Amino acid sequence: MKAVTLVLLNQKAPASKDPMHQHLRFSSLLVTGLVALTVSAAAADWTNSGGNAGRNELSTEVGPSAATVLWSGSRPSLIAWQPVTEGNRVFIVRQTAFPPSGQPTEAPVVCQDLTTGAELWHFDVPFNANDWTTWIAGASQGHVYAARSGNGASVSDKLYCLDSATGAQLWMSVVSIDAGAYDGVVFAPNGDPIIGSFTHIWRIDHTTGATVWTANRQASISGDCGVAATSTAAYAADILGPGLVIKKFDLATGALLYTSPAMSGASTQNTPMVGPDGTIYQHVQQSQTVNLYYAWTDTGTSLVQKWNVPSGYTAFAEFGVGPDGSVYHLAPNSEIHRLNPATGATLNTTGPIPTDPGLPVFPRLAVDAQGRVYLNNAQGNAGILASYNADLSLRWSIPFSSGNIGGPILAQNGTLLMAGIGTNVIAFRDSTVTNYFCFGDGSGPVACPCTNFGAVGHGCANSVNPAGGQIQGSGASSVSSDSVVLTGSGMPNSSVLYFQGTTQVAGGSGSVFGDGLRCAGGTIVRIGTKQNVAGSSQYPGPGDQPLSVRGQVPPTGGVRTYQAWYRNAAPYCTSSTFNLTNGLQITWVP
């Protein structure tokens, strides 16, 4: 499947004369805003292997509560390759042969509609002599990236940039890279791909394909050499002397900043992971029977070991973190463990997960906004796609053979997707009847108060985000089995009130209110006040009532509207110190 080479070497509530204000008094706005975390929570898109720049598998979406199939099917493939998503599109390589057979049409990049599964376009990456099979690096800011490089860093080729909407080629990189599918890429905040391979790290300009910088490094094995990143740094696992170390590189310049002490082990076949609090995690191999999982604190001047715990033997795995900071990794005896992020102590375990005789486990994880874990064990006959609660108690499990690195991924509207071999590509999604309305993007008859239009589908722009705040709903909108989660994003790190109405203001057009538009009207119910972190929050969180219970939706169901009202104290637009997201309408069923 791949060749590798081992190297020896306090603020007042917003004032308003609007009668709604009596329902929406911000008692919690006396609380100061939280400081933004080092790594932002993942957006609704699954942009790359690991889901986000930190490769920590954490999504702001809420995944399906059951294995409810939304659609299935795709072009056939010999190998289950990593899918990525942007908006309502999923991008996958579907491979029918290995070079030298069938190229350049043997491994097209295929774009499918995330809601229906319909194929939208495909692209055959050009083939040059000695090229390897196509792999997808990721998707970001309207671009999809693919290459024919890799095969254990033995093949160098250009990185191709495609238009995500049409599949048209936009550019190919100036430099040739030798990274491959098991390395993956991450994206800088502006959309530049950061590519880690056996001996180099590159930052490529996402608009032109020019090289921003190149850094030298030396990984221990010629595959699984990718990096993880924050908004300011990239972290790589490299061999140095007798052991493996973590190196920190400046994201803007590529300069090596500092290196961790050596870990007890000389190799790894797994990339680093960065948690939302900035902790760096790394799996290290001493042998097939002795493996460790390390946690490192970045002090700003050095990397200090936080803890290490025994780990299972694995390769090309992607581990995860939960919204509460819990760490999920492969432990000995083919178990997934949930760890205390402060101490590394085991909190919960799955118990042994299914394995083929004699085959190690190569787990790939996705973690949703409620802390629910989705697992592909990447086995053959014993392959499964399973879901666990945050405490790793089993929710559901279905057979899924030969999953390799084909997911799971969590995408827009809580869509869970696995890309397997053959035509076995399946999207799962709970049934939520939603309708988004009252956008601050200039598309409606009521303009934002200062022509501060936001992005399509968002509310009016705010002082920290020109795209504006956005509210989304996911989960099952059934009163008897409510799993709906309201997720707000694109807001300042301030207090936010989620509230419920019974009507759409002005027939869905909204009315000017503060720096934004009021969308949800009628009988108002305060759902809950939250604190935005990295611009995002959600309801319900741990200990909260289900949305339908909190909103007093009757057992027979009904239509309710929702919006998020958030503090924006910086001088901006009007003299008001608040703004709102777009509106969301949910049709509840019994």
Side-chain angles (χ1 to χ4, degrees):
M1 197 152 46
K2 61 171 182 170
V4 296
T5 305
L6 182 64
V7 176
L8 299 178
L9 310 142
N10 258 328
Q11 306 171 352
K12 65 181 180 179
S16 172
K17 296 180 180 179
D18 194 295
M20 168 180 160
H21 180 67
Q22 300 304 314
H23 298 278
L24 305 180
R25 190 174 303 277
F26 272 119
S27 60
S28 65
L29 285 176
L30 296 174
V31 181
T32 56
L34 294 177
V35 177
L37 296 178
T38 305
V39 180
S40 296
D45 297 328
W46 196 272
T47 61
N48 57 286
S49 183
N52 54 58
R55 302 183 77 143
N56 59 44
E57 313 276 354
L58 179 60
S59 173
T60 57
E61 293 287 343
V62 175
S65 55
T68 304
V69 175
L70 178 66
W71 56 264
S72 64
S74 184
R75 295 192 183 200
S77 186
L78 296 171
I79 301 291
W81 292 119
Q82 171 75 49
V84 296
T85 69
E86 185 178 52
N88 201 46
R89 299 183 182 95
V90 58
F91 312 98
I92 328 172
V93 167
R94 306 305 290 166
Q95 180 178 357
T96 57
F98 280 95
S101 176
Q103 61 275 68
T105 62
E106 91 294 354
V109 176
V110 176
C111 174
Q112 294 179 239
D113 187 286
L114 186 65
T115 299
T116 67
E119 184 172 317
L120 302 177
W121 54 259
H122 78 276
F123 180 83
D124 296 306
V125 176
F127 182 84
N128 300 303
N130 302 315
D131 274 356
W132 190 230
T133 192
T134 301
W135 59 284
I136 288 181
S140 177
Q141 300 193 16
H143 295 172
V144 183
Y145 300 90
R148 282 186 173 273
S149 58
N151 193 27
S154 65
V155 176
S156 294
D157 203 357
K158 306 295 186 180
L159 179 70
Y160 287 81
C161 176
L162 313 178
D163 185 289
S164 64
T166 67
Q169 180 180 323
L170 300 177
W171 51 256
M172 63 180 184
S173 61
V174 174
V175 69
S176 292
I177 63 171
D178 58 4
Y182 295 92
D183 303 313
V185 305
V186 296
F187 293 100
N190 73 340
D192 287 355
I194 313 297
I195 308 157
S197 79
F198 192 28
T199 57
H200 293 86
I201 302 171
W202 298 271
R203 177 169 178 164
I204 305 297
D205 188 299
H206 73 288
T207 62
T208 66
T211 305
V212 178
W213 53 257
T214 304
N216 295 322
R217 53 86 62 97
Q218 182 59 70
S220 61
I221 292 177
S222 62
D224 311 292
C225 304
V227 301
T230 68
S231 60
T232 60
Y235 297 91
D238 277 16
I239 195 76
L240 185 64
L244 199 73
V245 298
I246 298 294
K247 291 181 178 178
K248 180 181 180 179
F249 295 85
D250 186 278
L251 199 67
T253 67
L256 175 62
L257 300 178
Y258 40 85
T259 300
S260 75
M263 292 174 275
S264 183
S267 68
T268 185
Q269 296 182 69
N270 298 272
T271 60
M273 178 180 83
V274 183
D277 65 349
T279 302
I280 301 97
Y281 301 92
Q282 181 64 54
H283 178 275
V284 180
Q285 298 174 0
Q286 290 183 330
S287 65
Q288 276 196 299
T289 57
V290 181
N291 300 269
L292 295 170
Y293 198 56
Y294 279 81
W296 295 91
T297 298
D298 187 343
T299 68
T301 57
S302 65
L303 294 165
V304 178
Q305 184 179 322
K306 198 171 181 180
W307 47 257
N308 72 74
V309 296
S311 186
Y313 175 74
T314 189
F316 56 88
E318 297 277 359
F319 302 138
V321 297
D324 65 349
S326 295
V327 180
Y328 296 93
H329 86 118
L330 179 70
N333 303 316
S334 302
E335 299 179 347
I336 302 297
H337 282 196
R338 177 189 182 206
L339 307 180
N340 182 314
T343 66
T346 296
L347 302 175
N348 308 104
T349 175
T350 58
I353 59 178
T355 59
D356 290 322
L359 186 65
V361 179
F362 309 121
R364 310 281 286 198
L365 304 177
V367 187
D368 77 2
Q370 291 187 339
R372 301 183 297 194
V373 178
Y374 299 86
L375 164 75
N376 159 32
N377 65 346
Q379 301 292 287
N381 293 331
I384 60 168
L385 173 63
S387 178
Y388 302 85
N389 293 307
D391 65 359
L392 295 181
S393 55
L394 183 65
R395 300 171 64 233
W396 53 264
S397 178
I398 61 171
F400 201 100
S401 64
S402 304
N404 194 39
I405 63 173
I409 67 171
L410 278 169
Q412 180 176 277
N413 296 319
T415 307
L416 177 73
L417 191 134
M418 275 292 301
I421 61 174
T423 60
N424 192 25
V425 176
I426 308 178
F428 306 86
R429 186 190 293 175
D430 284 340
S431 176
T432 305
V433 183
T434 60
N435 174 43
Y436 296 95
F437 67 100
C438 187
F439 305 117
D441 57 11
S443 61
V446 179
C448 292
C450 311
T451 62
N452 53 319
F453 298 125
V456 174
H458 293 234
C460 300
N462 58 56
S463 66
V464 301
N465 183 11
Q470 185 180 44
I471 189 172
Q472 294 179 298
S474 59
S477 55
S478 167
V479 177
S480 60
S481 57
D482 174 11
S483 64
V484 174
V485 170
L486 302 179
T487 300
S489 60
M491 300 176 285
N493 292 327
S494 59
S495 295
V496 55
L497 174 65
Y498 291 88
F499 65 95
Q500 173 187 283
T502 52
T503 64
Q504 297 185 12
V505 173
S509 299
S511 62
V512 171
F513 186 54
D515 289 349
L517 301 177
R518 175 186 165 193
C519 304
T523 302
I524 301 297
V525 176
R526 288 176 57 110
I527 297 299
T529 301
K530 297 294 182 178
Q531 192 76 23
N532 290 320
V533 176
S536 300
S537 56
Q538 61 266 324
Y539 183 94
D544 290 332
Q545 293 178 314
L547 181 59
S548 59
V549 175
R550 181 64 177 169
Q552 302 173 25
V553 180
T556 54
V559 176
R560 297 294 185 271
T561 54
Y562 300 89
Q563 198 171 8
W565 181 21
Y566 58 91
R567 184 149 184 95
N568 188 19
Y572 181 80
C573 191
T574 73
S575 60
S576 299
T577 56
F578 60 90
N579 205 328
L580 302 96
T581 64
N582 59 291
L584 164 65
Q585 178 174 288
I586 295 179
T587 302
W588 292 94
V589 297

